[in-house]
Each structure stands twice: as structure tokens, then as C-alpha cells.
Amino acid sequence: MTRGNQRDRDRERAAARVGGKGKNKDDGLTPEQRRERDAKALQEKTAKKAAGAAGGSSDAGGKSTKK
């Protein structure tokens, strides 16, 4: 084995780089509560996106993108 402990050191470094990032599965919510929370967040996101698209769809710049 020519690498010695290099592989182990690389794994430790990679784990340190990730740090606290990632998904936290233990958030203290039941699956039903988690679904409700996610559904509410998704509804807010789509409403915000729809409001932005409705407000930005008018051609206020005077330039047309059609050729």
C-alpha cells in the first residue's frame, strides 16, 4: 500500500470542509408537520414568483425581444 493514511486524511479534510452544511433530519417535527411546513413554504415561493412575473411582464423598457 503506497498511499499510507492519505485516504483517511482526505476523508477527514472533506468532512471538515462540509462542516455544518447539509440536511438536518432531526428537526423535532413529525412527518405531517414537516409536510405542512414545506407545503406552506412552496406556496409562498410560487406566489412570490407569480407576483414577480405579473409585475415584470409589462414592456416598460420600450424594447422588444422579438426579431
Side-chain angles (χ1 to χ4, degrees):
M1 212 164 133
T2 57
R3 288 191 63 161
N5 68 346
Q6 183 69 35
R7 185 175 291 130
D8 295 330
R9 286 185 13 207
D10 286 345
R11 285 185 184 142
E12 290 174 6
R13 288 181 59 222
R17 265 185 265 132
V18 172
K21 295 180 185 175
K23 295 184 178 181
N24 186 7
K25 294 285 185 182
D26 188 24
D27 55 359
L29 297 176
T30 65
E32 183 178 333
Q33 291 171 330
R34 195 173 297 115
R35 275 193 292 274
E36 291 174 1
R37 178 195 64 191
D38 293 346
K40 182 179 178 185
L42 185 60
Q43 288 173 351
E44 291 174 357
K45 182 179 178 180
T46 54
K48 184 177 179 182
K49 189 173 184 179
S57 66
S58 64
D59 196 10
K63 295 184 179 180
S64 176
T65 58
K66 294 181 181 179
K67 290 184 178 182

